[in-house]
């Protein structure tokens, strides 16, 4: 019989479930994300993934995923990666976003991965990658400004 203490693992699983519930509650008010059809597929402290199925409404005139869609996906995952590290009554907004487009978005599915490089009291420095099927199509860096609750 194993004498391994399973309490730390159970606590970590419970904390991640609580984090996911908190982030999903905030997503209800993320109307633009819903409009484009994106959904968060993975949520962990300092890291978020999102996906969407490409439709005609997402394409530019040459049939590639629109650059604005790609930037939106990068912004979405970088921002919510930062949100995972602030208290529940705080928020974040994008202070700056720099994106480099590496390949045209041609395929069926967009996947974006965002993570926090360094979190601070007022600013979080983040990065994101956007993939179309199995091809890296963009890389982004973002600074997220922490918004404190009114009266804090």
């Amino acid at each position: 019989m194993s004498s391994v203490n399973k309490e730390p693992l159970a606590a970590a699983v419970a904390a991640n479930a609580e984090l996911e519930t908190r982030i999903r509650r905030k997503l209800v008010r993320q109307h633009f994300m819903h409009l484009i059809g994106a959904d968060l597929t993975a949520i962990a402290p300092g890291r978020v993934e999102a996906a969407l199925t490409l439709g005609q409404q997402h394409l530019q005139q040459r049939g590639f995923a629109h650059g604005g869609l790609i930037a939106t996906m990068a912004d979405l995952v970088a921002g919510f990666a930062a949100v995972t590290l602030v208290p529940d009554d705080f928020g974040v907004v994008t202070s700056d976003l720099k994106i480099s487009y590496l390949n045209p978005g041609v395929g069926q599915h967009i996947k974006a991965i965002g993570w926090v490089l360094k979190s601070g009291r007022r600013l979080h420095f983040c990065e994101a990658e956007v993939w179309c099927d199995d091809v890296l199509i963009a890389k982004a860096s973002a600074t997220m400004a922490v918004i404190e609750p009114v009266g804090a």
Side-chain angles (χ1 to χ4, degrees):
M1 187 117 161
S2 175
S3 63
V4 174
N5 183 350
K6 295 182 181 178
E7 288 180 18
L9 177 60
V13 169
N16 202 51
E18 182 180 314
L19 174 64
E20 183 159 345
T21 299
R22 178 171 69 90
I23 298 304
R24 294 224 176 263
R25 188 179 68 247
K26 291 181 181 240
L27 289 174
V28 171
R29 295 187 320 263
Q30 187 54 252
H31 303 295
F32 193 67
M33 184 187 92
H34 301 300
L35 178 68
I36 64 171
D39 189 28
L40 295 191
T41 57
I43 301 168
R47 185 180 171 90
V48 168
E49 296 181 16
L52 68 77
T53 299
L54 278 174
Q56 188 172 7
Q57 72 274 21
H58 299 120
L59 306 179
Q60 47 87 294
Q61 70 278 7
R62 298 186 66 88
F64 306 150
H66 193 282
L69 173 75
I70 297 166
T72 296
M73 293 295 288
D75 183 53
L76 173 74
V77 294
F80 271 98
V83 168
T84 67
L85 299 180
V86 298
D88 192 32
D89 55 345
F90 283 54
V92 303
V93 294
T94 306
S95 173
D96 73 41
L97 176 70
K98 187 221 181 274
I99 188 158
S100 296
Y101 298 96
L102 307 172
N103 289 294
V106 179
Q108 302 298 312
H109 303 282
I110 295 287
K111 177 181 179 179
I113 306 163
W115 59 92
V116 176
L117 288 173
K118 182 182 182 306
S119 62
R121 187 170 165 264
R122 298 212 180 269
L123 298 173
H124 285 44
F125 299 94
C126 306
E127 287 188 341
E129 293 178 346
V130 182
W131 295 76
C132 188
D133 295 343
D134 293 325
V135 176
L136 180 63
I137 60 172
K139 183 92 171 157
S141 61
T143 304
M144 299 295 164
V146 176
I147 304 298
E148 296 182 6
V150 176

